[in-house]
Amino acid sequence: MGVSFTKMHGLGNDFVILDGRTTPLSPSTTLISRLCDRRTGIGCDQLVTLSAPTRDGADVRVSFFNPDGSEAGACGNASRCVAALLGGSPTLQTQNGLLPTSQKNGLISVLMGTPHLDWQTIPLARECDTARLPLHDGAACSMGNPHLTLFRSIEDAAALGPVLETDPLFPERANIGFAEILSPTHIRLRVWERGAGLTLACGSGACAAVVNAARRGLVERTCRVTMECGSLTITWQDDGSVLMTGPAQTVFTGTLDESWLEKGQTTTP
């Protein structure tokens, strides 16, 4: 039999979700790349797998894979999609810890955890003031994955994104956000994601942009972050955690053909 999948997106940031809670999945780097390919696969920004949780308080374990096969520690848009797929208010187990979710009026909220602001925990290659880096005067934090936010035109994303993703200052590479401050409560954002390239939206990048802009006194702690296909509401709460709220949409479901699957490992032996 083939493997069932669900194609979903959050503001255009799209995902293929494989449910391995009953039958464990172990996608190879080759299979991940093939699934993400928009011509010969299904096509997506990231592959997401679900598995049985291993921590108390979690309803499902969620893993996020970039098209190059690398694993991301967090993905805000995919987290909303998983919550929408499962229904109710599931708590997601991720590399960035447990992420509680809730749903109201067709929108999904995810408590994304507390940003890491220290240079060692982002991580950076050397000690720096993470609110004012010696790199295009940007600011950095981690939302489970490293983010550099630059306060400049989003039109610079395609040219500068791939260069800065691999800058030596970021030993684990970085997601690069280009943030235009439109008002104290509104940011326009474009993100170059490590391992994926330009995406229409980035949930963790939106969280990082609000955190980094608020640290610089450029915005308030609750902001609308507008990307190519819509907006998220991000609140950096008084307790230090970041709440993200926005939509998620199922596109279609299907089954991967057995003959196609034979070219890449999908399940453990």
Side-chain angles (χ1 to χ4, degrees):
M1 296 178 63
V3 174
S4 298
F5 68 88
T6 302
K7 174 71 179 285
M8 302 187 73
H9 79 88
L11 297 180
N13 192 194
D14 61 340
F15 312 97
V16 170
I17 301 176
L18 302 180
D19 192 342
R21 288 176 293 175
T22 301
T23 302
L25 300 171
S26 180
S28 66
T29 297
T30 299
L31 180 63
I32 292 167
S33 296
R34 292 178 64 232
L35 284 167
C36 293
D37 191 284
R38 296 189 183 278
R39 292 184 179 273
T40 59
I42 302 171
C44 60
D45 290 321
Q46 285 183 321
L47 174 69
V48 179
T49 63
L50 310 183
S51 57
T54 58
R55 289 186 56 181
D56 291 340
D59 295 299
V60 64
R61 185 177 181 181
V62 188
S63 300
F64 314 100
F65 298 96
N66 297 315
D68 65 359
S70 61
E71 187 170 358
C75 179
N77 288 319
S79 295
R80 292 200 320 281
C81 287
V82 170
L85 179 65
L86 298 180
S89 302
T91 296
L92 314 182
Q93 177 185 342
T94 71
Q95 281 191 12
N96 197 36
L98 300 184
L99 307 184
T101 71
S102 61
Q103 303 187 43
K104 184 178 181 181
N105 299 327
L107 297 178
I108 299 93
S109 294
V110 180
L111 195 60
M112 294 288 289
T114 302
H116 299 285
L117 307 178
D118 183 79
W119 72 274
Q120 292 175 307
T121 55
I122 292 173
L124 302 181
R126 63 183 187 275
E127 185 173 1
C128 295
D129 178 357
T130 62
R132 290 189 177 276
L133 293 180
L135 188 65
H136 294 275
D137 193 31
C141 70
S142 172
M143 292 299 309
N145 44 18
H147 284 274
L148 168 65
T149 306
L150 304 180
F151 303 103
R152 58 191 299 159
S153 172
I154 65 170
E155 301 303 324
D156 295 333
L160 281 179
V163 176
L164 296 177
E165 175 191 355
T166 57
D167 189 273
L169 186 60
F170 296 95
E172 296 180 4
R173 299 184 295 164
N175 301 279
I176 315 299
F178 296 79
E180 298 176 5
I181 309 301
L182 303 181
S183 80
T185 58
H186 192 189
I187 295 173
R188 187 181 180 205
L189 181 70
R190 192 84 192 271
V191 177
W192 177 278
E193 289 195 36
R194 63 174 183 173
L198 285 176
T199 56
L200 294 177
C202 179
S204 61
C207 295
V210 172
V211 168
N212 285 329
R215 295 168 71 199
R216 297 272 284 262
L218 300 174
V219 298
E220 298 177 7
R221 291 173 72 102
T222 294
C223 271
R224 177 161 59 102
V225 180
T226 298
M227 291 166 281
E228 294 294 306
C229 296
S231 299
L232 298 174
T233 299
I234 308 296
T235 299
W236 189 12
Q237 302 184 128
D238 291 339
D239 65 359
S241 62
V242 179
L243 182 68
M244 173 196 61
T245 301
Q249 180 68 52
T250 297
V251 183
F252 59 86
T253 61
T255 303
L256 297 167
D257 185 82
E258 287 185 61
S259 63
W260 190 89
L261 284 171
E262 289 174 359
K263 298 178 181 178
Q265 180 183 345
T266 59
T267 59
T268 53

